Amino acid sequence: MPFSHDMVHSLATVVDLINTSPAAGTGEGLESVEDLRAFVRRHVISGVEDLGADDLSDVRALRDAFHEVFVAPDRDTAVSLLNTMLGRTRITPSLAEHDGFSLHVHYFAPGASLAEHLAADCGVALAHVLVEDERERLRTCAAPDCSHVFVDESRNRSRVYCDSRTCGNRMHVAAYRARRRA
């Protein structure tokens, strides 16, 4: 499934958001409002004004809801979870061109909070993955000591590690050493 620029951006954002969770095994990645501001800057999230403690709390709750969609045991559960999330989100599609990005669609309503913005844009991207029957692309790293999630964008759906340079390389080296000992 070829992903559009909008989808790639939104899916990368939701993956990075989920992987800030302590459940990902790397500690709390959103400890403070400043961490949240850095996340917004890193992902070039437009239309976000002042951020406060409520935003941090709301985004953490949203992060957990997105994680549930990724690890849902089946398609119907993922659809139900995503429908519940999208049903609580004000969605107002509009075309936008900003920050050097070509014309694309924003789904968040004007004046939306950061959590609503993320729920709308990232939720719609995940909805497209489910509609295209590509749920198996939503994965958790196969390395035994890693709980990061990722979206497998490979043509043959063969990616199993969140990052080939870290987890993938580490697991391949371990397998090589095990074969050498045998």
Side-chain angles (χ1 to χ4, degrees):
M1 164 183 196
F3 295 122
S4 69
H5 170 269
D6 295 7
M7 243 179 107
V8 168
H9 184 268
S10 292
L11 291 172
T13 300
V14 74
V15 162
D16 191 31
L17 177 62
I18 294 168
N19 289 336
T20 66
S21 171
T26 54
E28 176 60 70
L30 294 176
E31 276 192 34
S32 66
V33 174
E34 187 50 46
D35 291 338
L36 189 57
R37 284 187 190 106
F39 179 87
V40 167
R41 284 190 302 271
R42 186 169 58 250
H43 289 285
V44 193
I45 300 172
S46 63
V48 176
E49 300 300 322
D50 296 326
L51 294 173
D54 288 345
D55 293 300
L56 182 60
S57 176
D58 292 346
V59 169
R60 285 178 177 167
L62 179 65
R63 169 183 72 186
D64 296 341
F66 276 134
H67 188 254
E68 288 182 36
V69 172
F70 261 76
V71 299
D74 54 53
R75 179 186 151 292
D76 291 343
T77 304
V79 167
S80 177
L81 291 166
L82 196 53
N83 275 338
T84 299
M85 180 189 315
L86 290 172
R88 291 188 304 246
T89 305
R90 295 179 300 146
I91 296 180
T92 308
S94 64
L95 296 173
E97 203 170 19
H98 60 87
D99 297 316
F101 296 116
S102 61
L103 192 63
H104 58 281
V105 180
H106 282 244
Y107 294 97
F108 59 93
S113 69
L114 176 58
E116 288 177 311
H117 181 129
L118 292 170
D121 281 356
C122 297
V124 167
L126 286 172
H128 282 288
V129 171
L130 295 175
V131 165
E132 294 297 326
D133 200 27
E134 297 283 354
R135 188 178 86 83
E136 73 273 2
R137 290 184 182 273
L138 306 179
R139 304 230 172 119
T140 301
C141 186
D145 58 342
C146 182
S147 299
H148 283 183
V149 299
F150 64 95
V151 176
D152 180 3
E153 294 180 52
S154 67
R155 284 187 181 182
N156 62 358
R157 297 171 184 87
S158 62
R159 188 172 158 199
V160 294
Y161 301 114
C162 64
D163 185 359
S164 60
R165 290 178 306 269
T166 55
C167 289
N169 189 42
R170 195 167 26 88
M171 296 308 297
H172 290 117
V173 168
Y176 170 78
R177 289 180 179 158
R179 284 192 307 272
R180 296 282 295 180
R181 282 191 300 267

